Amino acid sequence: MGKVAAKMKVMPKSPEIDLDDLQERLEASLPEGAKINGFERDEVAFGLVALLPTVIVPDDAGGTEAVEEAFTGLNDVESVSVENVGRI
């Protein structure tokens, strides 16, 4: 079984969210077998900054679905989307 790298876009609910704290909570919420291989930040508009984690997950049924659900379940997260996926 291989692995998949997925670049995700996590939008916070407001510009007042502490992104460093949100980053830590995203890492802590990962399902077993997944890990984050770095974060980028993207200024969206009006002070709102999206987090762009690159997540490494096993290449099996479901792919990034468990990670998306874990991230979406956190307080302060408005939305989660997968921007790019590739095998590694």
Side-chain angles (χ1 to χ4, degrees):
M1 173 174 23
K3 293 190 180 214
V4 172
K7 187 169 202 173
M8 306 180 88
K9 185 174 194 174
V10 178
M11 292 296 300
K13 287 188 176 177
S14 77
E16 288 80 36
I17 303 298
D18 179 349
L19 294 179
D20 292 328
D21 177 60
L22 182 56
Q23 227 173 269
E24 289 176 16
R25 290 188 288 137
L26 289 171
E27 289 185 82
S29 73
L30 287 171
E32 187 175 327
K35 69 176 187 172
I36 293 180
N37 191 36
F39 278 93
E40 293 177 27
R41 294 185 182 194
D42 181 28
E43 292 191 29
V44 180
F46 307 109
L48 187 62
V49 178
L51 290 175
L52 303 171
T54 299
V55 180
I56 309 296
V57 295
D59 185 17
D60 59 2
T64 62
E65 195 172 304
V67 175
E68 291 175 69
E69 289 175 5
F71 287 178
T72 303
L74 293 176
N75 287 338
D76 302 327
V77 172
E78 180 68 33
S79 65
V80 176
S81 62
V82 177
E83 298 289 298
N84 195 351
V85 176
R87 294 184 99 159
I88 54 171

